[in-house]
Amino acid sequence: MQSLKSNYFQLFNLPQSWDIDQDALSDEYRKQQGEVHPDRFAGAIDTEKLRALQLSSYLNEAYETLKSPLRRAAYLLSLHDIDVEQVDQSDLSMDLLLEQIQLREKLDELPKDESALVDLDKLRAEVTVKLERQEKSFAECFAAANYDGAKKVYHELQFLNKLRTEIDAGEELRLGY
Amino acid sequence: MALLQIQEPGGKQAKPLHRLAVGIDLGTTNSLVSASCGPGVKTLPDSAGQHLLPSVVHYRKGETALVGFEAKSLLVEDPLNTIASAKRLLGKSLAELKSQQGYLPFEFDGSRDDGAPAILTASGSKDAVQISADILSTLVARAEASLKGSLEGAVITVPAYFNDAQRQQTKDAAQLAGLNVLRLLNEPTAAAVAYGLDSEDQGNIIVFDLGGGTFDVSLLSLKRGVFEVLATGGDTSLGGDDVDHAIADWIASQMSESGGIEIPSKARLLQLANGAKHQLSDSKVITISSDAWSVELTESVLKEIIADLIRRTITSCRRVLRDAGLAVGDIDNIVMVGGSTRMPLVREAVAEFFGKAPLTDIDPDKVVAIGAGIQADVLIGNKSADSFLLLDVNPLSLGIETMGELVEKIIPRNTTIPVAKAQEFTTFKDGQTVMTLHVVQGERELVSDCRSLARFELREIPAMVAGAAKIRVTFQVDADGLLSVSAEELSTGKKAEIQVKPSYGLESGIIEGMLQDSHSNAQIDMETRSIKEAQLDATQLLDAIASALRIDGDLLSEDEANVLAKSIQKLESIMIDGSSVQIHGATEELNQVSSDFAAKRMDLHIANALRGESIEEVEKQVD
């Protein structure tokens, strides 16, 4: 059984950048998973089974990292020794915080029943537009090797993603899922 | 000139032998076994030509167990020794079972110290694993007689919602029956496999599985021979039985409206309802009659009667789409599984929601077993390796208890398995040398609302100040969905590991009851969580002040010490039952009161430092 490359981009034969071909990623993932998945070793000896389990788990982790825009961004930065867990006060501008507070207030003020669904959709659309803008800006910073700038954008992406998750959760609550 | 054919070294010498492997659908009501025979995979009948094996076992003194139709016929005659629906006992504790299903007629074995439900029968105490093993053995015997050879392996299906304990016990039952388990496969995945191989489809598939008592829905993507489960959901307390109950209630209400009629027993009502349900699968209007009384039931009235049940299935579908980030239009095929999907109203509702007709070609009772048989054939090596692959997800989040009885999720639900994830934790108290790791499963934020899977300890952590030790906890879920957890202290390499086995004695409730709870209770959780966090802050401050007082308590005057003690007392009492705001207030107050003390300590330590020896002097002493 082969061993796998430690860099997730190299693992899937992709260029190390923000913009990746999602279809190529998922095709390559399926191809490799087809080679290392434990099901391929159902009748093998235990050491091979264990190796298959490890390789397959690693492949899943790599795939999920690159598939998610936010996790891909953090991973790209980590390849340039930037730890996104380390948040400096200077990374977060006052404008950003104010904007976040405003958006959150909007979400909190919506009625707690189904009448809020239309406004939730609007709010989600607003956040999605901001997300897409910031993703573009992350790509530009990163391509220009401006990693500190990219890290600042990353934190904005983090805020926006969290907010979108909360909007989704708010919608589920109101729909009674 | 004819060339001599030379085989490549190590290449295939001859057509490999066909190895015998089966797929088994171990169901709550009925079980089936399937295998590849001739061109395709088929379910195997018994000598009487019956494909379904009722999942009922009858125990007799000094004789082997009876399984299937014979056992089923003894259910009324000898209820204490005849066990149906043993699948519902898997992975549960006796206490849990009794609180959920009060109607069980059995006498339970109180001597089991593991708390597992075991039934006292004429041939001894039998638990869910043994009963399931008896069903499996019957299916194995049937298959070996039919295939004329001994089995080398089996794929056994489990509901997508089965938790770790239930999966583990299913595997234990197979081992007890002498079966080599190639894989535990989620039932909806098996159903999609049954359809997926007949057509060379690409795309997203919904598996809609409405059985007698449970509802499962899964979203899978199929591309180049790889099935990827994108999301699963459902409702373990929704099924065809609920339809019968709804119709029975309607009949009873019609009878009391007619007046002057004695309403028959619940059992009789359910019998009438079940008959009506089946008749309405073929006609638009039927007549229900009991003695001299009769009433007409039309399909449109039935639609109203079961509207709520159908709405609940569609809500689950919506949720699964949401989890996978897909829209209705992204779904290419809908596979129907389970006897209840024979109801035209169910099919219509599904077709209406997804905007296309569901697939119903394969018998909805057999489709899971057929899929399992196909997968067994692949895993045993009868099909070429690149034929197809199944990527499953874990149905419930797995996490660990952190301070304040909060859950830190390590592997979120719907993560593709196998998966390994690690997270670092640290100690909470100065000098802490033992860490208890409590592994839980569920979506809620509080430990008490999730299912406890296992507890173990990491010992001999070197004593350090709180927060200095680094303990890496790794969760590994294998392709069958079974979890193992290990913990390692990074500076010493000290390790502890556990294979998570079923743990009994937990009043955990039903799995996706837990899932639904997590949403309806999100609001309550938030306040509870902020109280827990406030308590945690308070505890940390109290601990810090207590340890400061032990070292430098003599810095305080008697008055100062009294004021501080009062403030400590106040916080200690408020943190027990106060709101998060009250606890924060008292914590802040204690912080203020103790700030002078902190300043004094700081001054003292600075003074000590200034008085202390210089670095050069220290070095000289070392030399």
Side-chain angles (χ1 to χ4, degrees), chain B residues 352-374:
Chain B
E352 192 190 342
F353 177 71
F354 288 103
K356 50 176 68 84
L359 297 172
T360 52
D361 309 346
I362 305 178
D363 182 341
D365 285 324
K366 292 181 182 168
V367 61
V368 166
I370 290 172
I374 294 172

PDB file of all heavy atoms in Angstrom, chain B residues 352-374:
ATOM      1  N   GLU B 352     -44.237  14.750  -4.759  1.00  0.00           N
ATOM      2  CA  GLU B 352     -44.586  16.165  -4.789  1.00  0.00           C
ATOM      3  C   GLU B 352     -43.450  17.021  -4.229  1.00  0.00           C
ATOM      4  O   GLU B 352     -43.062  18.025  -4.809  1.00  0.00           O
ATOM      5  CB  GLU B 352     -45.857  16.388  -3.974  1.00  0.00           C
ATOM      6  CG  GLU B 352     -46.467  17.762  -4.182  1.00  0.00           C
ATOM      7  CD  GLU B 352     -47.581  18.043  -3.184  1.00  0.00           C
ATOM      8  OE1 GLU B 352     -48.096  17.077  -2.574  1.00  0.00           O
ATOM      9  OE2 GLU B 352     -47.905  19.213  -2.985  1.00  0.00           O
ATOM     10  N   PHE B 353     -42.870  16.571  -3.106  1.00  0.00           N
ATOM     11  CA  PHE B 353     -41.798  17.359  -2.486  1.00  0.00           C
ATOM     12  C   PHE B 353     -40.563  17.422  -3.372  1.00  0.00           C
ATOM     13  O   PHE B 353     -39.967  18.477  -3.560  1.00  0.00           O
ATOM     14  CB  PHE B 353     -41.443  16.792  -1.103  1.00  0.00           C
ATOM     15  CG  PHE B 353     -40.294  17.506  -0.449  1.00  0.00           C
ATOM     16  CD1 PHE B 353     -40.445  18.804   0.028  1.00  0.00           C
ATOM     17  CD2 PHE B 353     -39.051  16.906  -0.329  1.00  0.00           C
ATOM     18  CE1 PHE B 353     -39.386  19.484   0.616  1.00  0.00           C
ATOM     19  CE2 PHE B 353     -37.989  17.581   0.261  1.00  0.00           C
ATOM     20  CZ  PHE B 353     -38.161  18.871   0.739  1.00  0.00           C
ATOM     21  N   PHE B 354     -40.171  16.276  -3.944  1.00  0.00           N
ATOM     22  CA  PHE B 354     -38.934  16.257  -4.729  1.00  0.00           C
ATOM     23  C   PHE B 354     -39.160  16.595  -6.202  1.00  0.00           C
ATOM     24  O   PHE B 354     -38.204  16.749  -6.956  1.00  0.00           O
ATOM     25  CB  PHE B 354     -38.248  14.897  -4.616  1.00  0.00           C
ATOM     26  CG  PHE B 354     -37.623  14.672  -3.265  1.00  0.00           C
ATOM     27  CD1 PHE B 354     -38.232  13.860  -2.333  1.00  0.00           C
ATOM     28  CD2 PHE B 354     -36.434  15.304  -2.913  1.00  0.00           C
ATOM     29  CE1 PHE B 354     -37.673  13.670  -1.080  1.00  0.00           C
ATOM     30  CE2 PHE B 354     -35.865  15.120  -1.667  1.00  0.00           C
ATOM     31  CZ  PHE B 354     -36.489  14.299  -0.739  1.00  0.00           C
ATOM     32  N   GLY B 355     -40.433  16.661  -6.617  1.00  0.00           N
ATOM     33  CA  GLY B 355     -40.707  16.997  -8.012  1.00  0.00           C
ATOM     34  C   GLY B 355     -40.389  15.869  -8.973  1.00  0.00           C
ATOM     35  O   GLY B 355     -40.206  16.098 -10.167  1.00  0.00           O
ATOM     36  N   LYS B 356     -40.257  14.640  -8.462  1.00  0.00           N
ATOM     37  CA  LYS B 356     -40.102  13.491  -9.365  1.00  0.00           C
ATOM     38  C   LYS B 356     -40.572  12.213  -8.677  1.00  0.00           C
ATOM     39  O   LYS B 356     -40.577  12.132  -7.452  1.00  0.00           O
ATOM     40  CB  LYS B 356     -38.675  13.354  -9.894  1.00  0.00           C
ATOM     41  CG  LYS B 356     -37.576  13.405  -8.877  1.00  0.00           C
ATOM     42  CD  LYS B 356     -36.213  13.168  -9.523  1.00  0.00           C
ATOM     43  CE  LYS B 356     -35.763  14.264 -10.450  1.00  0.00           C
ATOM     44  NZ  LYS B 356     -35.108  15.390  -9.757  1.00  0.00           N
ATOM     45  N   ALA B 357     -40.960  11.246  -9.501  1.00  0.00           N
ATOM     46  CA  ALA B 357     -41.495  10.001  -8.942  1.00  0.00           C
ATOM     47  C   ALA B 357     -40.382   9.165  -8.319  1.00  0.00           C
ATOM     48  O   ALA B 357     -39.289   9.070  -8.882  1.00  0.00           O
ATOM     49  CB  ALA B 357     -42.188   9.206 -10.041  1.00  0.00           C
ATOM     50  N   PRO B 358     -40.644   8.553  -7.160  1.00  0.00           N
ATOM     51  CA  PRO B 358     -39.617   7.715  -6.528  1.00  0.00           C
ATOM     52  C   PRO B 358     -39.466   6.369  -7.224  1.00  0.00           C
ATOM     53  O   PRO B 358     -40.373   5.918  -7.936  1.00  0.00           O
ATOM     54  CB  PRO B 358     -40.154   7.524  -5.101  1.00  0.00           C
ATOM     55  CG  PRO B 358     -41.623   7.723  -5.200  1.00  0.00           C
ATOM     56  CD  PRO B 358     -41.842   8.692  -6.325  1.00  0.00           C
ATOM     57  N   LEU B 359     -38.304   5.718  -7.029  1.00  0.00           N
ATOM     58  CA  LEU B 359     -38.051   4.390  -7.586  1.00  0.00           C
ATOM     59  C   LEU B 359     -38.714   3.341  -6.706  1.00  0.00           C
ATOM     60  O   LEU B 359     -38.522   3.332  -5.493  1.00  0.00           O
ATOM     61  CB  LEU B 359     -36.547   4.104  -7.629  1.00  0.00           C
ATOM     62  CG  LEU B 359     -35.693   5.010  -8.507  1.00  0.00           C
ATOM     63  CD1 LEU B 359     -34.221   4.713  -8.274  1.00  0.00           C
ATOM     64  CD2 LEU B 359     -36.048   4.813  -9.968  1.00  0.00           C
ATOM     65  N   THR B 360     -39.493   2.463  -7.328  1.00  0.00           N
ATOM     66  CA  THR B 360     -40.205   1.454  -6.547  1.00  0.00           C
ATOM     67  C   THR B 360     -40.101   0.066  -7.177  1.00  0.00           C
ATOM     68  O   THR B 360     -40.835  -0.832  -6.815  1.00  0.00           O
ATOM     69  CB  THR B 360     -41.697   1.838  -6.416  1.00  0.00           C
ATOM     70  OG1 THR B 360     -42.208   2.097  -7.724  1.00  0.00           O
ATOM     71  CG2 THR B 360     -41.891   3.083  -5.578  1.00  0.00           C
ATOM     72  N   ASP B 361     -39.148  -0.103  -8.116  1.00  0.00           N
ATOM     73  CA  ASP B 361     -39.050  -1.372  -8.852  1.00  0.00           C
ATOM     74  C   ASP B 361     -38.724  -2.558  -7.949  1.00  0.00           C
ATOM     75  O   ASP B 361     -39.231  -3.643  -8.116  1.00  0.00           O
ATOM     76  CB  ASP B 361     -37.953  -1.306  -9.936  1.00  0.00           C
ATOM     77  CG  ASP B 361     -38.113  -0.095 -10.817  1.00  0.00           C
ATOM     78  OD1 ASP B 361     -39.189   0.527 -10.763  1.00  0.00           O
ATOM     79  OD2 ASP B 361     -37.164   0.236 -11.545  1.00  0.00           O
ATOM     80  N   ILE B 362     -37.809  -2.351  -6.990  1.00  0.00           N
ATOM     81  CA  ILE B 362     -37.408  -3.470  -6.133  1.00  0.00           C
ATOM     82  C   ILE B 362     -38.353  -3.531  -4.938  1.00  0.00           C
ATOM     83  O   ILE B 362     -38.704  -2.498  -4.368  1.00  0.00           O
ATOM     84  CB  ILE B 362     -35.944  -3.301  -5.656  1.00  0.00           C
ATOM     85  CG1 ILE B 362     -35.006  -3.120  -6.854  1.00  0.00           C
ATOM     86  CG2 ILE B 362     -35.514  -4.507  -4.831  1.00  0.00           C
ATOM     87  CD1 ILE B 362     -33.555  -2.903  -6.484  1.00  0.00           C
ATOM     88  N   ASP B 363     -38.766  -4.741  -4.566  1.00  0.00           N
ATOM     89  CA  ASP B 363     -39.618  -4.963  -3.410  1.00  0.00           C
ATOM     90  C   ASP B 363     -39.063  -4.191  -2.199  1.00  0.00           C
ATOM     91  O   ASP B 363     -37.930  -4.438  -1.778  1.00  0.00           O
ATOM     92  CB  ASP B 363     -39.628  -6.478  -3.130  1.00  0.00           C
ATOM     93  CG  ASP B 363     -40.519  -6.855  -1.960  1.00  0.00           C
ATOM     94  OD1 ASP B 363     -40.841  -5.965  -1.148  1.00  0.00           O
ATOM     95  OD2 ASP B 363     -40.885  -8.038  -1.860  1.00  0.00           O
ATOM     96  N   PRO B 364     -39.843  -3.249  -1.661  1.00  0.00           N
ATOM     97  CA  PRO B 364     -39.297  -2.408  -0.582  1.00  0.00           C
ATOM     98  C   PRO B 364     -38.940  -3.186   0.686  1.00  0.00           C
ATOM     99  O   PRO B 364     -38.188  -2.698   1.524  1.00  0.00           O
ATOM    100  CB  PRO B 364     -40.422  -1.398  -0.305  1.00  0.00           C
ATOM    101  CG  PRO B 364     -41.656  -2.000  -0.866  1.00  0.00           C
ATOM    102  CD  PRO B 364     -41.221  -2.874  -2.000  1.00  0.00           C
ATOM    103  N   ASP B 365     -39.442  -4.424   0.831  1.00  0.00           N
ATOM    104  CA  ASP B 365     -39.059  -5.239   1.979  1.00  0.00           C
ATOM    105  C   ASP B 365     -37.722  -5.949   1.766  1.00  0.00           C
ATOM    106  O   ASP B 365     -37.070  -6.351   2.722  1.00  0.00           O
ATOM    107  CB  ASP B 365     -40.133  -6.308   2.260  1.00  0.00           C
ATOM    108  CG  ASP B 365     -41.370  -5.704   2.910  1.00  0.00           C
ATOM    109  OD1 ASP B 365     -41.196  -4.769   3.731  1.00  0.00           O
ATOM    110  OD2 ASP B 365     -42.487  -6.139   2.594  1.00  0.00           O
ATOM    111  N   LYS B 366     -37.329  -6.115   0.485  1.00  0.00           N
ATOM    112  CA  LYS B 366     -36.121  -6.902   0.206  1.00  0.00           C
ATOM    113  C   LYS B 366     -34.923  -6.055  -0.190  1.00  0.00           C
ATOM    114  O   LYS B 366     -33.799  -6.544  -0.241  1.00  0.00           O
ATOM    115  CB  LYS B 366     -36.404  -7.894  -0.936  1.00  0.00           C
ATOM    116  CG  LYS B 366     -37.377  -9.000  -0.569  1.00  0.00           C
ATOM    117  CD  LYS B 366     -37.556  -9.926  -1.754  1.00  0.00           C
ATOM    118  CE  LYS B 366     -38.575 -11.027  -1.428  1.00  0.00           C
ATOM    119  NZ  LYS B 366     -38.962 -11.742  -2.660  1.00  0.00           N
ATOM    120  N   VAL B 367     -35.175  -4.791  -0.491  1.00  0.00           N
ATOM    121  CA  VAL B 367     -34.139  -3.962  -1.130  1.00  0.00           C
ATOM    122  C   VAL B 367     -32.879  -3.820  -0.257  1.00  0.00           C
ATOM    123  O   VAL B 367     -31.754  -3.855  -0.749  1.00  0.00           O
ATOM    124  CB  VAL B 367     -34.738  -2.600  -1.577  1.00  0.00           C
ATOM    125  CG1 VAL B 367     -35.275  -1.810  -0.430  1.00  0.00           C
ATOM    126  CG2 VAL B 367     -33.747  -1.792  -2.377  1.00  0.00           C
ATOM    127  N   VAL B 368     -33.058  -3.742   1.068  1.00  0.00           N
ATOM    128  CA  VAL B 368     -31.900  -3.595   1.962  1.00  0.00           C
ATOM    129  C   VAL B 368     -31.043  -4.862   1.944  1.00  0.00           C
ATOM    130  O   VAL B 368     -29.811  -4.796   1.824  1.00  0.00           O
ATOM    131  CB  VAL B 368     -32.367  -3.262   3.400  1.00  0.00           C
ATOM    132  CG1 VAL B 368     -31.237  -3.428   4.407  1.00  0.00           C
ATOM    133  CG2 VAL B 368     -32.913  -1.835   3.459  1.00  0.00           C
ATOM    134  N   ALA B 369     -31.702  -6.025   2.024  1.00  0.00           N
ATOM    135  CA  ALA B 369     -30.969  -7.293   2.019  1.00  0.00           C
ATOM    136  C   ALA B 369     -30.216  -7.477   0.705  1.00  0.00           C
ATOM    137  O   ALA B 369     -29.066  -7.938   0.693  1.00  0.00           O
ATOM    138  CB  ALA B 369     -31.925  -8.454   2.245  1.00  0.00           C
ATOM    139  N   ILE B 370     -30.856  -7.083  -0.393  1.00  0.00           N
ATOM    140  CA  ILE B 370     -30.201  -7.237  -1.700  1.00  0.00           C
ATOM    141  C   ILE B 370     -28.948  -6.362  -1.782  1.00  0.00           C
ATOM    142  O   ILE B 370     -27.883  -6.807  -2.198  1.00  0.00           O
ATOM    143  CB  ILE B 370     -31.191  -6.919  -2.846  1.00  0.00           C
ATOM    144  CG1 ILE B 370     -32.247  -8.045  -2.912  1.00  0.00           C
ATOM    145  CG2 ILE B 370     -30.473  -6.777  -4.189  1.00  0.00           C
ATOM    146  CD1 ILE B 370     -33.388  -7.778  -3.868  1.00  0.00           C
ATOM    147  N   GLY B 371     -29.054  -5.138  -1.298  1.00  0.00           N
ATOM    148  CA  GLY B 371     -27.892  -4.240  -1.284  1.00  0.00           C
ATOM    149  C   GLY B 371     -26.765  -4.810  -0.437  1.00  0.00           C
ATOM    150  O   GLY B 371     -25.593  -4.750  -0.813  1.00  0.00           O
ATOM    151  N   ALA B 372     -27.120  -5.386   0.709  1.00  0.00           N
ATOM    152  CA  ALA B 372     -26.104  -5.969   1.597  1.00  0.00           C
ATOM    153  C   ALA B 372     -25.420  -7.137   0.899  1.00  0.00           C
ATOM    154  O   ALA B 372     -24.199  -7.310   1.021  1.00  0.00           O
ATOM    155  CB  ALA B 372     -26.756  -6.428   2.900  1.00  0.00           C
ATOM    156  N   GLY B 373     -26.202  -7.935   0.148  1.00  0.00           N
ATOM    157  CA  GLY B 373     -25.631  -9.072  -0.564  1.00  0.00           C
ATOM    158  C   GLY B 373     -24.656  -8.631  -1.644  1.00  0.00           C
ATOM    159  O   GLY B 373     -23.605  -9.245  -1.839  1.00  0.00           O
ATOM    160  N   ILE B 374     -24.994  -7.539  -2.327  1.00  0.00           N
ATOM    161  CA  ILE B 374     -24.104  -7.006  -3.367  1.00  0.00           C
ATOM    162  C   ILE B 374     -22.781  -6.560  -2.739  1.00  0.00           C
ATOM    163  O   ILE B 374     -21.694  -6.884  -3.214  1.00  0.00           O
ATOM    164  CB  ILE B 374     -24.779  -5.823  -4.104  1.00  0.00           C
ATOM    165  CG1 ILE B 374     -26.000  -6.328  -4.888  1.00  0.00           C
ATOM    166  CG2 ILE B 374     -23.789  -5.134  -5.026  1.00  0.00           C
ATOM    167  CD1 ILE B 374     -26.857  -5.220  -5.486  1.00  0.00           C
TER     168      ILE B 374
END
